[in-house]
């Protein structure tokens, strides 16, 4: 047996931009005449660039290679236009690559959209069969799973109603339910989880997790970093049509998020560029684990350390290091500064200092946390330096059930996520 | 797109198989076995088109009877009464209805097949299946309406006391010719339509023109003798004349002529298939 489920080898996809736009025969003829005219006028037609490829060509994917083992659940992330959808379309054979090849071992099911081919005039029952057939299920298979699908979609009362009368929620639930019961060995999924209400999303995530646990190979394409972190052990980051990084999902989403935010989890300055005033110069800020190792992505159940290194240039000040923490919606989660006895009562002498603040485990919520660093004097209040958005790191919940999530998998709002103690006692038991 | 597979059956519905996706170099691999592997999808699409067509209408499937019936009435009044076109001794209503049957089937299949890819753009861009399924499903869909109006024709024949000839047994063959003609031209048009939406405007003209070039409202006998050979090249002329011959006992069509036109239509069909297959890989990008 081969130990690969999917092997992608130097895959490339070129689109001719001009070709897409001219859908009218008259335009096409016009363009043909124009390029013919151009060619007569000069041999070095401007239509061709030096390497022979037309300038209107656009490589949506270029030189993409990776391998995925059976049973692996891999997330593919990247910005819009990074090539995610193109890769997905090639893997699901909707479109053909321009170069390179893909080998897939096992029955492949792909979901680029939920409810593909749903017909509004048909009833729920009829659409289950139609959609199932379109997704590649056999009639007998659909019949066998029919009841299960109806229960999962929670539409049993309306199963003989045309789907055009469904609420959008019901429609999506039914559509996802059919898709969720597809049982391929390799599942290629687009962001189908971005549909439905929170309750249903939770159910979908649960189902996806189940699929992964059953040892099937899943390729999950998403913008939703939280979902990737929750579902996938490893991930691939696409950028500009190529693989930028392939690794553990924490690592990859960390890189992705920091690119989005534009800062990394460690910032170092040299003497010339460092923020400075007469009293102090900030040299370095970084986020790290409890063992001191720098890190981009933390589990919500581990403490996060932020260390600032700074040089005191003028002795005799009360210098207090401080940090601001912002979440990815720009909310100031909290600020903190050194309130220790020593810091409050000792004027700092010249030299290099290193201050670390520990954010306890089970405190920050999932998402990207952006950190601002400052050196202040608390009283009388004076800001010596204040660098906003120096570093950023990512908080993730790996669903080990020891976080404040417990068993819950859905969306958890709230800007912090403390793990609190609960007491429940039975009273007046019957 | 080239897909290596040991057994097509296993590929889509079986276990452990290998799929290779790479740019296809040759356009000559028709891969028709794959269409067979997807026959369930084909039947689902046919079923969908049939059941959707008359949903939420009062008369429902009755429209399959009403439409040709009214066309027949209009033809009878205009061509039979006013223009007094000869109907070779057969009551004009049966004479025209007998022709409308294969003609309606053909024109609807041709229209449906030409439109099949563009109207299923949402499927093409989201799911893989042999694209040939789409035009195919349209030519099969028309058979249902055909069967229903055929019953009406039988009723009319009983009313007018006309006994069909033994040629009745050749009807499936004649319908096959109509199907291949519609599909052959439909394959060209639908593949072209993906790229050039002009086709959508051309199809109604083609069908209209073609109807006048076929003996639907009139009899082949009014075509001047020296043009008969050219006329015989129209495969639908052969099919319609064949219907009248089989059901109403009219003069047999020129079978040599029909064979010639059939050869022509096979050429269109096969080249259409090749062109379709060659364009298939770009459908999702262009549509």
């Amino acid at each position: 047996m081969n130990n690969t489920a999917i092997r992608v080898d130097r895959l490339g996809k070129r689109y001719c931009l001009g070709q897409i736009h001219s859908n009218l025969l008259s335009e096409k003829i016009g363009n043909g005449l124009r390029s013919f005219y151009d060619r007569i006028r000069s041999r070095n037609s401007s239509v061709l660039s030096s390497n022979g490829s037309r300038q209107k060509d656009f490589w949506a994917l270029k030189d993409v290679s990776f391998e995925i083992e059976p049973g692996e659940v891999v997330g593919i992330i990247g910005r819009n236009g990074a090539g995610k959808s193109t890769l997905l379309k090639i893997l699901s054979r909707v479109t053909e690559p321009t170069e390179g090849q893909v080998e897939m071992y096992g029955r492949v099911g792909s979901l680029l959209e939920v409810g593909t081919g749903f017909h509004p005039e048909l009833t729920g029952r009829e659409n289950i069969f139609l959609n199932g057939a379109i997704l590649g299920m056999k009639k007998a298979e659909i019949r066998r799973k029919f009841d299960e699908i109806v229960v999962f979609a929670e539409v049993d009362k309306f199963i003989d109603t045309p789907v055009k009368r469904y609420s959008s929620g019901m429609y999506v639930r039914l559509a996802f339910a059919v898709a969720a019961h597809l049982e391929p060995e390799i599942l290629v999924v687009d962001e189908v989880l971005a549909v439905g209400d929170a309750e249903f999303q939770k159910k979908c995530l649960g189902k996806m997790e189940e699929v992964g646990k059953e040892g099937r190979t899943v390729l999950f394409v998403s913008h939703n970093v939280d979902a990737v972190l929750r579902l996938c052990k490893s991930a691939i980051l696409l950028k500009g049509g190529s693989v930028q990084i392939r690794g553990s999902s924490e690592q990859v989403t960390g890189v992705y998020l920091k690119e989005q935010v534009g800062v990394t989890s460690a910032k170092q300055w040299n003497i010339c560029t460092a923020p400075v005033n007469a009293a102090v110069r900030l040299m370095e800020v970084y986020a790290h684990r409890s063992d001191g190792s720098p890190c981009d992505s933390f589990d919500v159940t581990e403490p996060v350390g932020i260390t600032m290194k700074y040089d005191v240039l003028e002795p005799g000040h009360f210098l207090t290091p401080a940090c601001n923490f912002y979440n990815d919606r720009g909310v100031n989660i909290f600020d903190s500064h050194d309130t220790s006895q020593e810091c409050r009562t000792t004027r700092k002498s010249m030299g290099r200092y290193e201050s670390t603040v520990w954010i306890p485990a089970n405190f920050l919520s999932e998402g990207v946390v952006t950190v601002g660093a400052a050196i202040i004097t608390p009283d009388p209040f004076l800001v010596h330096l204040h660098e906003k958005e120096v570093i950023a790191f990512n908080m993730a919940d790996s669903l080990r059930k020891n976080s404040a999530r417990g068993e819950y998998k859905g969306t958890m709002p709230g800007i912090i996520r403390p793990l609190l103690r609960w007491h429940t006692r039975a009273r007046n038991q019957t | 797109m080239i897909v290596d597979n040991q057994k097509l059956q296993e590929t889509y519905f079986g276990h452990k198989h290998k799929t290779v996706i790479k740019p296809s170099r040759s356009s000559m691999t028709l891969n028709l076995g794959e269409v067979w592997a997807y026959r369930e999808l084909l039947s689902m699409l046919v079923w969908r088109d049939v059941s959707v067509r008359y949903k939420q209408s009062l008369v429902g499937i009755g429209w399959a009877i009403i439409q040709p019936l009214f066309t027949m009435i209009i033809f009878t009044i205009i061509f039979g009464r006013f223009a007094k076109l000869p109907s070779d001794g057969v009551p004009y209503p049966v004479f025209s209805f007998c022709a409308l049957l294969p003609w309606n089937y053909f024109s609807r299949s041709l229209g449906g097949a030409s439109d099949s890819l563009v109207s299923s753009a949402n499927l093409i861009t989201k799911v893989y299946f042999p694209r040939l399924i789409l035009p195919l499903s349209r030519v099969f869909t028309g058979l249902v309406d055909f069967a229903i109006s055929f019953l009406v024709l039988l009723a009319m024949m009983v009313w007018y006391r006309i006994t069909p000839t033994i040629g009745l047994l050749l009807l499936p063959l004649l319908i096959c010719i109509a199907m291949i003609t519609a599909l052959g031209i439909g394959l060209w048009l639908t593949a072209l339509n993906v790229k050039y939406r002009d086709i959508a405007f051309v199809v109604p003209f083609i069908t209209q023109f073609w109807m006048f070039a076929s003996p639907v409202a009139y009899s082949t006998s009014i075509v001047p003798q020296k043009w008969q050979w050219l006329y015989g090249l129209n495969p639908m002329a052969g099919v319609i004349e064949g219907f009248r011959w089989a059901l109403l006992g009219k003069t047999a069509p020129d079978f040599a002529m029909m064979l010639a036109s059939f050869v022509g239509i096979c050429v269109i069909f096969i080249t259409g298939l090749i062109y379709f297959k060659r364009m298939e890989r770009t459908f999702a990008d262009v549509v």
Side-chain angles (χ1 to χ4, degrees):
Chain A
M1 258 295 296
N2 194 316
N3 209 25
T4 308
I6 305 175
R7 179 182 294 124
V8 174
D9 192 22
R10 281 166 295 148
L11 203 63
K13 172 77 184 176
R14 184 184 57 207
Y15 283 106
C16 307
L17 296 181
Q19 197 186 339
I20 295 170
H21 295 299
S22 71
N23 272 346
L24 282 172
L25 199 55
S26 55
E27 269 175 51
K28 196 74 183 173
I29 294 169
N31 287 345
L33 287 176
R34 208 167 306 133
S35 68
F36 181 65
Y37 178 68
D38 282 349
R39 216 168 300 159
I40 299 171
R41 279 193 53 169
S42 69
R43 295 236 145 218
N44 273 351
S45 169
S46 62
V47 182
L48 295 172
S49 67
S50 54
N51 58 10
S53 71
R54 272 157 295 167
Q55 284 175 347
K56 279 180 180 170
D57 286 357
F58 163 73
W59 287 89
L61 280 183
K62 185 79 185 149
D63 224 11
V64 170
S65 302
F66 58 85
E67 276 190 34
I68 291 170
E69 285 171 22
E72 230 185 325
V73 181
V74 181
I76 293 183
I77 52 175
R79 290 174 193 218
N80 284 330
K84 297 191 303 286
S85 316
T86 308
L87 178 61
L88 205 65
K89 278 188 177 171
I90 293 174
L91 292 179
S92 45
R93 298 171 61 202
V94 163
T95 185
E96 202 174 63
T98 311
E99 55 180 37
Q101 72 167 38
V102 182
E103 286 168 30
M104 298 206 259
Y105 299 88
R107 186 184 150 179
V108 184
S110 68
L111 281 178
L112 267 60
E113 176 190 71
V114 287
T116 307
F118 257 45
H119 199 291
E121 297 286 348
L122 296 177
T123 67
R125 180 188 304 276
E126 292 165 333
N127 267 310
I128 290 178
F129 280 94
L130 176 63
N131 188 231
I134 288 170
L135 293 175
M137 279 194 246
K138 273 185 136 179
K139 224 175 269 177
E141 195 183 341
I142 305 168
R143 213 167 284 140
R144 203 172 58 238
K145 291 179 188 159
F146 186 82
D147 293 335
E148 220 179 304
I149 293 173
V150 175
V151 170
F152 188 88
E154 305 162 20
V155 292
D156 37 343
K157 263 186 253 165
F158 308 98
I159 197 64
D160 288 314
T161 308
V163 295
K164 66 177 176 184
R165 309 236 182 278
Y166 279 29
S167 73
S168 55
M170 283 158 66
Y171 185 95
V172 164
R173 284 205 303 273
L174 182 66
F176 187 88
V178 183
H181 289 80
L182 191 65
E183 282 182 351
E185 287 150 313
I186 299 173
L187 184 60
V188 182
V189 206
D190 199 3
E191 293 187 285
V192 283
L193 297 176
V195 297
D197 51 26
E199 182 65 17
F200 191 69
Q201 277 190 18
K202 183 183 84 184
K203 211 166 164 182
C204 299
L205 277 172
K207 185 80 192 175
M208 292 276 301
E209 224 189 346
E210 225 173 84
V211 170
K213 277 187 189 137
E214 281 164 14
R216 282 184 269 160
T217 313
V218 182
L219 211 60
F220 175 61
V221 177
S222 182
H223 275 105
N224 187 343
V225 170
D226 289 350
V228 170
L229 282 167
R230 238 170 286 158
L231 293 169
C232 314
K233 282 218 171 56
S234 61
I236 293 169
L237 176 59
L238 287 180
K239 191 183 180 187
S242 322
V243 176
Q244 191 185 10
I245 176 173
R246 161 100 157 92
S248 73
S249 49
E250 284 84 12
Q251 190 192 351
V252 174
T253 51
V255 172
Y256 172 65
L257 284 170
K258 274 173 296 157
E259 279 197 353
Q260 294 282 79
V261 177
V263 284
T264 55
S265 69
K267 174 87 180 174
Q268 232 177 336
W269 290 272
N270 61 36
I271 302 245
C272 306
T273 57
V276 67
N277 78 345
V280 65
R281 177 166 56 214
L282 187 59
M283 295 305 293
E284 190 178 346
V285 183
Y286 69 101
H288 54 84
R289 291 218 156 90
S290 42
D291 61 1
S293 58
C295 182
D296 312 311
S297 194
F298 298 85
D299 195 273
V300 288
T301 59
E302 67 177 328
V304 178
I306 307 289
T307 291
M308 294 167 63
K309 293 181 182 172
Y310 48 97
D311 294 335
V312 174
L313 308 172
E314 199 176 75
H317 293 281
F318 290 110
L319 294 173
T320 305
C323 287
N324 328 110
F325 296 85
Y326 291 86
N327 71 10
D328 38 21
R329 282 182 218 104
V331 175
N332 191 177
I333 310 168
F334 63 93
D335 289 350
S336 176
H337 62 269
D338 191 348
T339 50
S340 63
Q341 187 69 18
E342 195 197 343
C343 185
R344 274 191 282 178
T345 54
T346 323
R347 293 175 191 274
K348 285 198 168 59
S349 50
M350 274 171 63
R352 168 68 58 97
Y353 289 81
E354 193 177 303
S355 305
T356 300
V357 57
W358 288 102
I359 303 162
N362 291 306
F363 181 75
L364 290 170
S365 187
E366 286 162 277
V368 187
V369 178
T370 316
V371 185
I375 308 283
I376 59 170
T377 300
D379 192 32
F381 183 64
L382 179 68
V383 178
H384 295 275
L385 303 169
H386 187 191
E387 285 298 300
K388 289 168 187 163
E389 297 181 2
V390 246
I391 60 166
F393 56 87
N394 184 51
M395 298 302 296
D397 194 326
S398 51
L399 292 190
R400 278 189 284 256
K401 296 182 180 158
N402 56 349
S403 70
R405 274 187 175 277
E407 318 262 290
Y408 178 69
K409 297 188 186 90
T411 321
M412 258 184 108
I415 53 174
I416 57 166
R417 194 173 299 167
L419 180 61
L420 304 176
R421 276 171 72 112
W422 281 74
H423 273 287
T424 306
R425 268 176 299 168
R427 301 279 207 152
N428 304 330
Q429 254 183 321
T430 50
Chain B
M1 196 167 293
I2 297 174
V3 178
D4 291 352
N5 34 37
Q6 298 89 3
K7 263 189 178 177
L8 277 165
Q9 281 299 86
E10 269 185 17
T11 303
Y12 300 101
F13 308 116
H15 278 281
K16 278 303 161 206
H17 57 266
K18 177 179 171 187
T19 314
V20 176
I21 303 169
K22 59 183 173 189
S24 45
R25 306 268 176 238
S26 126
S27 56
M28 297 311 284
T29 44
L30 292 179
N31 225 342
L32 294 180
E34 207 186 9
V35 176
W36 176 246
Y38 273 88
R39 62 192 180 280
E40 276 199 0
L41 177 60
L42 177 62
S43 67
M44 284 305 285
L45 290 178
V46 171
W47 166 81
R48 177 195 69 179
D49 288 345
V50 170
S51 59
V52 161
R53 182 182 290 164
Y54 301 113
K55 280 249 168 147
Q56 211 180 354
S57 74
L58 282 175
V59 188
I61 201 91
W63 282 111
I65 299 171
I66 294 171
Q67 281 172 325
L69 216 56
F70 272 77
T71 320
M72 176 205 77
I73 291 170
I74 292 164
F75 275 22
T76 308
I77 293 169
I78 296 178
F79 297 116
R81 285 285 148 78
F82 298 166
K84 294 209 167 23
L85 289 179
S87 56
D88 302 351
V90 181
Y92 191 85
V94 195
F95 176 80
S96 63
F97 198 80
C98 189
L100 277 169
L101 225 55
W103 175 257
N104 278 347
Y105 167 70
F106 170 76
S107 65
R108 191 163 295 157
S109 300
L110 177 62
S114 312
D115 182 49
S116 60
L117 289 177
V118 169
S119 65
S120 303
N122 65 325
L123 286 189
I124 292 177
T125 53
K126 298 294 180 201
V127 190
Y128 174 77
F129 55 89
R131 306 309 188 201
L132 208 53
I133 297 274
L134 291 172
L136 262 178
S137 76
R138 297 299 175 89
V139 296
F140 282 116
T141 306
L143 285 179
V144 177
D145 275 14
F146 174 80
I148 292 165
S149 13
F150 190 73
L151 294 178
V152 177
L153 178 68
L154 289 184
M156 283 174 72
M157 285 169 65
V158 171
W159 174 263
Y160 285 103
R161 289 165 213 276
I162 298 167
T163 17
T165 68
I166 191 75
L168 195 67
L169 298 175
L170 282 178
L171 281 191
L173 186 73
L174 292 170
I175 266 298
C176 258
I177 296 175
M179 188 189 269
I180 291 172
T181 313
L183 191 60
I185 295 164
L187 284 176
W188 273 102
L189 293 181
T190 194
L192 283 166
N193 196 16
V194 168
K195 220 168 171 183
Y196 310 109
R197 294 292 145 85
D198 310 56
I199 300 300
F201 303 103
V202 174
V203 173
F205 284 116
I206 297 181
T207 23
Q208 205 171 24
F209 174 78
W210 201 326
M211 189 180 93
F212 290 117
S214 308
V216 182
Y218 55 88
S219 161
T220 319
S221 56
I222 65 166
V223 177
Q225 194 60 42
K226 61 175 176 173
W227 296 114
Q228 285 280 350
W229 66 273
L230 187 66
Y231 198 75
L233 282 179
N234 171 4
M236 284 314 288
V239 170
I240 290 169
E241 282 303 299
F243 260 73
R244 286 194 178 131
W245 161 73
L247 291 166
L248 311 177
K250 303 308 306 164
T251 43
D254 186 343
F255 285 107
M257 227 42 241
M258 273 186 81
L259 190 69
S261 73
F262 185 67
V263 169
I265 218 61
C266 281
V267 171
I268 293 182
F269 175 71
I270 289 164
T271 52
L273 202 58
I274 292 169
Y275 180 70
F276 186 92
K277 273 291 178 184
R278 226 184 73 196
M279 299 310 288
E280 190 176 33
R281 60 187 117 139
T282 61
F283 287 161
D285 299 333
V286 181
V287 76

